């Protein structure tokens, strides 16, 4: 049985599902217009279809449009997008010397991202035996899997070791500053920083890997991966019913997040507003990533009471201690018979919540990297990702409270950290960072 | 919205789908009888159900029986089982000093594996606030996800540094010997060996992680993880149609595998036969794992012609060079007009095939572990897993041919290696390795 859905073959006849269009025409339409032009329900399945006869072939074209998220738009995808199952983060360092080279990289990356997020290969294949294939190929035959790619730029793009590398120093937004040292940090250089941060999310890990790998390949000569980390959560398919996913400590994670469908909240919490400047960041957002190692061996030895007091929530239901429902309002004033707060003041939820006025949008994943050779313990934990409008007013004060007093600090250690200004979305025909570069 | 599918709550009423049975009764039935007793279609969903009212609750009980593979049986699962999407391998070293402690560990592991493969927690929760939870909790609310756990023992269980550690030296099967050094090996101690090897596969990465982590927790004081590696392939869900998955070089991987549904072939290739001995290995199999790093940066610079000549197959279709169909018989005698073999004699497929008489069952996954700090290159590749009846006659001669001449060696490097004797299956009431210990 040969698979019939390979994109390098020229379609002979797409009449089973669609009007006759050459593959090149289809690619062009998709490349220019994004998913909107992809002929509805059949989606980009047609791009993979060979039109070969038989029942198997019509199955191959049935790529659900629901698996494709539009690339172009006001905002970048991957921020208020409902969380996909898999994650791959890469921090890049720029090795190019000229601003025009950085601009050219973002042009190429935008083009590639616009294609692969729609389930297409990164570029047209030449099929020239004497050239390397244009696309690395591991995503051939796979659906777009809700792939999103979110690009951000770090403080070192603007100034590095005191030097204005690309003549961009004056364009650095004030909120894009190195994070302050937090009291509980044990940061390791190999998990920190980067001139560019790329967050890839998808419902398939091979599709996510394919994106990072091809972006790295396209960057050759301009930028190199500084560090990277793959992540996961429980797959949607494995969840017996929808609901908040659990982290590797066994607790629900993300309950207190603002609603991504609430535009007002997103404008308040996530999106840089026109009044704030700089103009190139309007409709962008600041992304903070923290690689948080869990001391799970120690956690697993702690009592249920300790664990629940540490989070301030019930382990099974996820409800605030003293409550019954995961999503009930946090009442930090509730006391037990002896007058002690039901939710300990140094619990994770109490400190993260603070006065409840400052919020962030969390979008974290679990990670596992085998055994740490130095300690013999599992190198596993939470790859924390959050988006906010101004880290100085949101993430930083929240993390300062946590770093100082959080009971959870006994069981976690922050080993990686970076901050990036995520660009606003691009319009078809334009590219990400166009106003910056 | 509170989730209602948490297993710690006592079911009040399961009448929506099933006769009234207490959770404890159900657990007992499942624990003793395996999936067969799980009341058909509704499967162990009932174990998660609280019987709470409302539409949401009836969704939660609909855990498909198809997501559960029986644990007890003649053979261990995870060998001829069709490959799941995710993989987590761990090699353990035994720190216990007495054979009875090792036996006790396998008894506890068998019990835990029999439960979690059926979608249950590792043990009954006490809900005692002053004890650690029995199960680490990250799989609460998740389906069994076709979880399989496959246990094997390594040569060092029998003899280590010349010592007969547990009085088992005389029981070592001759095929369970350290692998010879292969000419292209660049093995690193941190990815090699182990007294016990555990292969976990599932259609969800969190379910797979949960298994390894809880086995490690149960082993505390008896064994520690020596090394571990998570792996993946493209998810079934993302494949536009069924077919052979591609590795991270973009080529289909596993085409030439024998058919796992062909009992005669499996007896020939995989299962240790009663005539071979030792008796404790009858219906077992030998598992070889090799952590094979891909030099993907170099691969990505090689031409399509090089890539296809390296594998001996067409990149898109997976067909042998000169052929058209992925599954057509390999014809190594086919020549081009100039008399040169169409499939190069030093191609991967030609050397792996050899005279076609010796086969192995491959069951490999891709892996990615971020950036190698030493080289700055992606630490990614293939976690090769194979099963065979006698490595001395199957894997070893095949790998010797490949190590010496395979064109692919330019693009890969074997950094990890281990061999294990995978035990036969256990019967309900028994435990894995019962005849050995």
């Amino acid at each position: 049985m040969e698979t019939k859905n390979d994109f390098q073959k020229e379609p002979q006849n797409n009449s089973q599902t669609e009007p006759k269009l050459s593959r090149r025409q289809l690619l062009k339409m998709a490349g220019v217009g994004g998913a909107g032009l992809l002929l509805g329900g059949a989606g980009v399945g047609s791009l993979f279809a060979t039109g070969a006869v038989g029942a198997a072939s019509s199955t191959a074209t049935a790529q659900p449009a629901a698996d494709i998220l539009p690339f172009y738009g006001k905002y970048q995808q991957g921020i208020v997008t409902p969380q996909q199952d898999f994650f791959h983060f890469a921090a890049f360092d720029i090795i190019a010397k000229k601003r025009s080279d950085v601009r050219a990289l973002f042009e190429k990356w935008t083009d590639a991202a616009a294609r692969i997020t729609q389930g297409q290969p990164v570029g047209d294949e030449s099929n020239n035996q004497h050239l390397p294939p244009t696309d690395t190929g591991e995503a051939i035959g796979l659906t777009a899997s809700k792939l999103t790619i979110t690009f951000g730029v770090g403080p070192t793009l603007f100034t590095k070791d005191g030097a204005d590398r690309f003549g961009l120093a004056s364009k650095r937004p004030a909120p894009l500053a190195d994070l302050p040292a937090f009291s509980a940090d044990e940061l390791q250089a190999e998990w920190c920083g980067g001139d560019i941060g790329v967050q890839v999310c998808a419902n398939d890990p091979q599709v996510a890997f394919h994106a990072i790998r091809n972006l790295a390949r396209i960057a050759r000569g301009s930028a190199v991966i500084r560090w990277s980390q793959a992540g996961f959560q429980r797959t949607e398919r494995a969840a017996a019913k929808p609901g908040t996913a659990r982290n590797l400590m066994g607790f629900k994670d993300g309950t207190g997040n603002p609603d991504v469908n609430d535009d007002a909240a997103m404008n308040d919490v996530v999106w840089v507003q026109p009044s704030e400047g700089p103009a190139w960041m309007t409709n962008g957002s600041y992304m903070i990533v923290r690689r948080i190692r869990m001391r799970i061996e120690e956690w697993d030895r702690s009592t249920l009471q300790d664990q629940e007091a540490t989070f301030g929530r019930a382990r099974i239901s996820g409800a605030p201690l003293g409550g019954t429902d995961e999503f009930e309002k946090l009442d930090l004033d509730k006391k037990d018979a002896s007058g002690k707060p039901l939710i300990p003041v140094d619990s994770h939820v109490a400190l993260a919540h603070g006065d409840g006025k400052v919020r962030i949008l969390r979008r974290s994943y679990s990670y596992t990297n085998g055994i740490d050779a130095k300690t013999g313990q599992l190198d596993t934990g939470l790859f924390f990702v959050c988006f906010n409008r101004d880290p100085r007013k949101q993430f930083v004060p929240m993390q300062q409270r946590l770093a100082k007093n959080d009971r959870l600090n006994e069981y976690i250690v922050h080993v990686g950290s970076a901050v990036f200004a995520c660009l606003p979305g691009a319009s078809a025909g334009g590219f990400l960072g166009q106003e910056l570069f």
Side-chain angles (χ1 to χ4, degrees), chain A:
Chain A
M1 188 191 71
E2 185 177 2
T3 58
K4 302 293 187 193
N5 55 348
D6 300 315
F7 60 70
Q8 284 193 331
K9 295 179 181 171
E10 207 67 30
Q12 306 297 311
N13 177 357
N14 273 310
S15 62
Q16 286 178 319
T17 51
E18 312 201 342
K20 282 186 197 180
L21 284 168
S22 78
R23 174 171 158 279
R24 205 164 281 276
Q25 279 175 298
L26 279 166
L27 286 174
K28 203 170 163 194
M29 285 168 64
V32 176
L37 283 175
L38 283 168
L39 308 174
V44 301
S46 57
L47 298 173
F48 291 107
T50 63
V53 292
S57 154
S58 59
T59 311
T61 62
Q63 179 169 203
D67 273 357
I68 302 172
L69 297 173
F71 177 76
Y72 292 110
K74 182 176 172 186
Y75 307 117
Q76 283 196 83
Q77 290 277 14
I79 300 175
V80 299
T81 312
Q83 232 174 308
Q84 301 97 317
D85 293 346
F86 297 94
F87 171 84
H88 213 121
F89 174 82
F92 286 84
D93 278 343
I94 298 170
I95 54 174
K97 300 292 178 212
K98 289 184 304 188
R99 194 207 293 194
S100 59
D101 292 335
V102 183
R103 187 197 305 124
L105 173 62
F106 273 85
E107 286 186 89
K108 283 188 275 181
W109 270 357
T110 302
D111 184 49
R115 293 176 62 113
I116 57 179
T117 55
Q118 309 305 300
Q120 304 162 39
V122 294
D124 288 339
E125 288 296 345
S126 68
N127 280 325
N128 185 329
Q129 284 278 318
H130 305 291
L131 290 177
T134 307
D135 187 287
T136 58
E138 67 270 33
I140 296 173
L142 304 184
T143 69
S145 303
K146 290 197 177 165
L147 174 66
T148 58
I149 309 176
T150 313
F151 296 87
V153 294
T156 48
L157 175 78
F158 299 89
T159 314
K160 194 172 183 177
D161 303 327
D164 181 1
R165 311 162 70 187
F166 302 110
L168 291 170
S170 65
K171 290 193 160 192
R172 185 180 68 78
L176 184 67
D178 287 332
L179 297 175
F182 297 106
S183 50
D185 280 357
E186 296 187 25
L187 301 182
Q188 298 166 3
E190 69 255 44
W191 303 113
C192 289
D195 298 335
I196 300 167
V198 182
Q199 174 200 250
V200 169
C201 300
N203 281 333
D204 183 87
Q206 189 140 323
V207 167
F209 176 82
H210 172 258
I212 289 288
R213 185 243 197 111
N214 280 275
L215 294 177
R217 188 171 182 235
I218 289 166
R220 194 176 297 148
S222 302
V224 295
I225 297 185
R226 177 187 175 94
W227 60 282
S228 74
Q229 179 66 58
F232 62 95
Q233 56 169 343
R234 58 94 182 100
T235 57
E236 215 184 310
R237 165 179 157 172
K241 51 180 284 194
T244 311
R246 291 179 186 273
N247 63 29
L248 298 184
M249 288 173 156
F251 277 68
K252 294 186 181 183
D253 204 304
T255 302
N257 246 357
D259 179 2
V260 294
N261 297 310
D262 178 343
D263 291 346
M266 293 302 101
N267 280 330
D268 182 44
V269 174
V270 173
W271 301 124
V272 175
Q273 301 297 307
S275 56
E276 291 170 286
W280 67 266
M281 267 301 283
T282 299
N283 301 322
S285 187
Y286 296 93
M287 170 170 70
I288 288 140
V289 302
R290 306 278 290 181
R291 191 175 186 273
I292 305 176
R293 167 105 170 256
M294 291 174 177
R295 308 188 203 267
I296 64 167
E297 291 85 354
E298 286 157 56
W299 178 256
D300 285 352
R301 272 173 237 157
S302 62
T303 66
L304 178 57
Q305 188 173 46
D306 275 348
Q307 293 190 358
E308 294 192 332
T310 296
F311 274 106
R313 288 185 178 273
R315 179 170 180 264
I316 298 300
S317 69
L321 289 181
T324 55
D325 185 279
E326 178 189 353
F327 294 100
E328 72 184 61
K329 208 171 152 351
L330 218 57
D331 181 356
L332 299 173
D333 296 328
K334 255 194 199 165
K335 309 242 172 8
D336 67 12
S338 71
K340 255 183 34 189
L342 280 169
I343 300 173
V345 293
D346 56 355
S347 67
H348 185 69
V349 72
L351 289 166
H353 184 263
D355 63 5
K357 287 184 188 139
V358 174
R359 294 183 298 170
I360 56 175
L361 179 66
R362 285 170 291 155
R363 215 172 176 289
S364 304
Y365 287 86
S366 296
Y367 77 88
T368 179
N369 266 32
I371 291 290
D372 181 331
K374 286 171 226 152
T375 62
Q377 297 198 311
L378 282 169
D379 180 9
T380 197
L382 187 80
F383 198 93
F384 171 91
V385 179
C386 82
F387 294 92
N388 54 176
R389 243 171 92 188
D390 189 337
R392 297 169 304 174
K393 298 175 187 162
Q394 294 168 271
F395 173 77
V396 170
M398 185 178 291
Q399 182 54 27
Q400 278 168 332
R401 286 198 302 272
L402 291 169
K404 213 177 285 177
N405 293 314
D406 189 357
R407 280 195 186 204
L408 194 54
N409 294 338
E410 191 179 338
Y411 303 107
I412 60 172
V413 46
H414 289 238
V415 296
S417 178
V419 56
F420 302 97
C422 288
L423 305 159
S427 322
F431 65 94
L432 289 162
Q434 195 158 11
E435 291 190 57
L436 171 61
F437 302 114

